[in-house]
Amino acid sequence: MAASVSLACVIAMWVLAGRRGRAEGAQPAGIPGPPAARMFNRGYWLVVVAEVVLLFGGIAVFRAWERPEETNVAWIAFVVGVHFIALAPAWKHRGIILPGVILSLFGVAGLVLSATSAVEWVPFVSGVLSGVTLLAGCLFFARRGLASLSVQDRVAVVSGGDTD
């Protein structure tokens, strides 16, 4: 139930932020440059390619080593965490480093657990806690972006149009 409410909040904030962007032709405060050019630059694509190679390559290695399937959850959390850390300089946005570090640590913890008799805890530690971290990060940044708007901008976001 809590996850459903959190997801609904994230979606609502995303829709509101999208309305603001369309209404004003702008992006959230504190993010310089055109959004597409800034986010989908060469650094982004290098990180994405490396992430795909690491994800599927690592899972294949764990399969060859006959590791428990839970190991894959830990590996995914680790690689996604590292991907956020690597994207921070590419996007010039330090705010994504902390969630990246937390996800990486949950991944490492899961990898350690997968080598013990506590392997059944890996999906919770590396999966559920990583998901909670991502949701919390989304809510934090969405709230911060909406909080940076003036009262007039907030009215425009909610109404879906301009207040002029």
Side-chain angles (χ1 to χ4, degrees), residues 87-154:
L87 280 177
W91 283 352
K92 296 176 179 61
H93 188 58
R94 293 183 324 193
I96 62 174
I97 292 175
L98 181 60
V101 168
I102 293 170
L103 263 62
S104 297
L105 291 174
F106 286 145
V108 168
L111 288 170
V112 169
L113 287 173
S114 72
T116 70
S117 61
V119 68
E120 68 273 1
W121 282 96
V122 173
F124 177 77
V125 172
S126 296
V128 173
L129 295 179
S130 292
V132 168
T133 300
L134 290 172
L135 278 173
C138 288
L139 288 171
F140 173 79
F141 286 110
R143 182 167 166 76
R144 189 173 84 174
L146 289 174
S148 70
L149 299 175
S150 68
V151 173
Q152 183 178 9
D153 290 339
R154 288 183 194 166

Side-chain angles (χ1 to χ4, degrees), residues 40-54 83 86-87 90:
F40 302 113
N41 57 23
R42 185 162 67 160
Y44 167 82
W45 290 110
L46 290 172
V47 170
V48 168
V49 168
E51 180 181 26
V52 169
V53 169
L54 287 171
H83 131 272
L87 280 177

Side-chain angles (χ1 to χ4, degrees), residues 7-17 146:
L7 178 61
C9 289
V10 168
I11 291 170
M13 286 189 210
W14 178 73
V15 168
L16 291 174
L146 289 174

Side-chain angles (χ1 to χ4, degrees), residues 48-64 72 75-76 79-80:
V48 168
V49 168
E51 180 181 26
V52 169
V53 169
L54 287 171
L55 281 174
F56 292 105
I59 290 171
V61 167
F62 290 131
R63 189 178 308 121
N72 296 342
W75 180 248
I76 291 167
V79 172
V80 170

